[in-house]
Amino acid sequence: MTEIFASRREKLRRAMRARGLDALLISQAANRFYLSGFELHDPQFNESAGRLVITADGRDWLATDARYLDAAARMWDKERIFIYGGGAAHDLHRLLRLCGSRIGLEYQGISMAFARDLAAAGPGLHCEAADGLVEQLRRIKEPCEIAALEKSFALNHKLMKWVEGQLEPGRTEADISWRIERFFRENGASELAFSNIVAVGKNAALPHAIPGGDTVSANCPVLVDVGCRVDNYCSDQTRTFWVGDAPTDEFRRTLDLTRQAQTAAIEGMRPGMPLRAAYALAHDVFARAGVANAFTHGLGHGVGLETHEAPSLSPRAEGTLEPGMVVTVEPGLYYPQWGGIRWEYTVLVEEDGVRIL
């Protein structure tokens, strides 16, 4: 993995040179891990485990605070570890001055307070937005990443076969959510990829419903959207079940249309296809049936170190499908009167189409 991380940094360096950057301050946690293997997660929103300073001349730094010195030294040259104190922005200004004058920042990964403090620390730096340089690399998954994703999705498929038997009348959404989390952890996941979504009845009309006290009844829909993390990589799958033996005609029709839209997208997706055209494959199925107004989100998103990452399959997306991309295909129809249906696979874009993970 040390060689893989170094190779990724060299690819990034080429992109930096094309932009004329002397250094790039990596502040996004997933980007930090992708380039170094150091700390996939930050402790909390307002606290960082550390930052990378990637330089055009190859003399990179891992910057962190004293709590992480031993952990950093296990995977980074100790001579290239920079320890900052409570005034991180002021200390990092001093380090960045050693690396050049034109500095790229991941503005999506820093607070306004950090940007203000960095600017106030002194002259000598020209800072500019450089978001997306690492994310552009992360869009195309390497063989080791695909292998990890396959393991993560294999466990998710196993969960989906198991969970249908847990949807018993009288059980609450929260109870089923806890059973799902326990299943993942007991079967090899290090954690959840995101908070479970278990939505009974009308709650299934909320794409990001929060499991609560509502209970499964003898005949009702239940939407389950869950994912796990295995070998640092996430899975993400949704299924909508009918509990009982008498699904309504509306449920049957909506499920059939949703599956038709997903099949149309998966069978039509190819390398070189515009991302927005992939969305249109599913949307057109709904439009022909007169229900497109109930399809309220994009078709999908990238999955990898994060559950939601580039690229996006939406009507506004820029770019094209490329071999090595891993994206969800999750059309859905939502009706506040009775609930909703979403059906999700995640696919790997290959040379001749896509493969379901």
Side-chain angles (χ1 to χ4, degrees), residues 61-107:
W61 291 88
L62 172 53
T64 187
D65 65 60
R67 296 170 301 165
Y68 293 94
L69 177 58
D70 289 344
R74 295 184 181 186
M75 57 186 59
W76 198 267
D77 179 359
K78 196 169 184 178
E79 299 300 315
R80 307 298 298 178
I81 298 174
F82 179 85
I83 299 298
Y84 51 75
H90 185 274
D91 292 345
L92 284 167
H93 183 278
R94 176 164 48 89
L95 174 62
L96 292 170
R97 282 291 305 274
L98 298 175
C99 300
S101 60
R102 189 172 178 185
I103 309 299
L105 300 180
E106 293 184 323
Y107 278 125

Side-chain angles (χ1 to χ4, degrees), residues 111-129:
S111 66
M112 291 183 66
F114 179 90
R116 178 197 62 207
D117 293 345
L118 186 64
L125 295 183
H126 169 75
C127 296
E128 61 185 76

Side-chain angles (χ1 to χ4, degrees), residues 194-269:
F194 55 93
S195 297
N196 294 330
I197 298 172
V198 179
V200 170
K202 292 182 179 180
N203 294 339
L206 306 173
H208 286 172
I210 298 172
D214 287 11
T215 59
V216 177
S217 63
N219 272 287
C220 73
V222 182
L223 185 149
V224 177
D225 184 352
V226 295
C228 63
R229 189 183 296 276
V230 177
D231 292 349
N232 297 310
Y233 282 80
C234 299
S235 59
D236 181 7
Q237 300 278 21
T238 307
R239 299 290 181 270
T240 308
F241 304 91
W242 183 270
V243 177
D245 56 5
T248 64
D249 290 341
E250 192 165 23
F251 179 89
R252 290 179 184 274
R253 177 174 180 271
T254 304
L255 177 60
D256 183 60
L257 279 172
T258 302
R259 296 299 303 272
Q260 285 183 41
Q262 185 187 62
T263 299
I266 290 175
E267 292 182 349
M269 291 166 67

Side-chain angles (χ1 to χ4, degrees), residues 262-316:
Q262 185 187 62
T263 299
I266 290 175
E267 292 182 349
M269 291 166 67
R270 293 288 184 276
M273 172 179 283
L275 298 172
R276 63 183 63 182
Y279 165 86
L281 290 171
H283 182 271
D284 288 350
V285 172
F286 292 146
R288 288 192 295 271
V291 297
N293 62 330
F295 181 29
T296 57
H297 53 70
L299 178 63
H301 54 82
V303 181
L305 291 172
E306 297 176 292
T307 310
H308 290 83
E309 57 184 48
S312 169
L313 305 182
S314 76
R316 298 169 300 280

Side-chain angles (χ1 to χ4, degrees), residues 97-173:
R97 282 291 305 274
L98 298 175
C99 300
S101 60
R102 189 172 178 185
I103 309 299
L105 300 180
E106 293 184 323
Y107 278 125
Q108 293 182 2
I110 62 175
S111 66
M112 291 183 66
F114 179 90
R116 178 197 62 207
D117 293 345
L118 186 64
L125 295 183
H126 169 75
C127 296
E128 61 185 76
D131 293 288
L133 291 182
V134 183
E135 287 84 351
Q136 187 68 25
L137 299 178
R138 287 172 51 196
R139 288 157 68 104
I140 307 301
K141 302 304 189 277
E142 299 162 344
C144 63
E145 296 180 282
I146 294 171
L149 285 161
E150 287 174 334
K151 290 175 65 176
S152 188
F153 277 94
L155 180 51
N156 208 326
H157 285 299
K158 183 178 179 181
L159 177 283
M160 285 298 184
K161 291 180 179 179
W162 168 85
V163 76
E164 189 169 11
Q166 304 300 308
L167 306 180
E168 297 180 357
R171 283 185 175 167
T172 67
E173 296 167 333

Side-chain angles (χ1 to χ4, degrees), residues 8 16 25 41-42 91 126 174 231-232 290:
R8 292 171 180 171
M16 290 169 52
L25 181 64
H41 301 301
D42 279 333
D91 292 345
H126 169 75
D231 292 349
N232 297 310

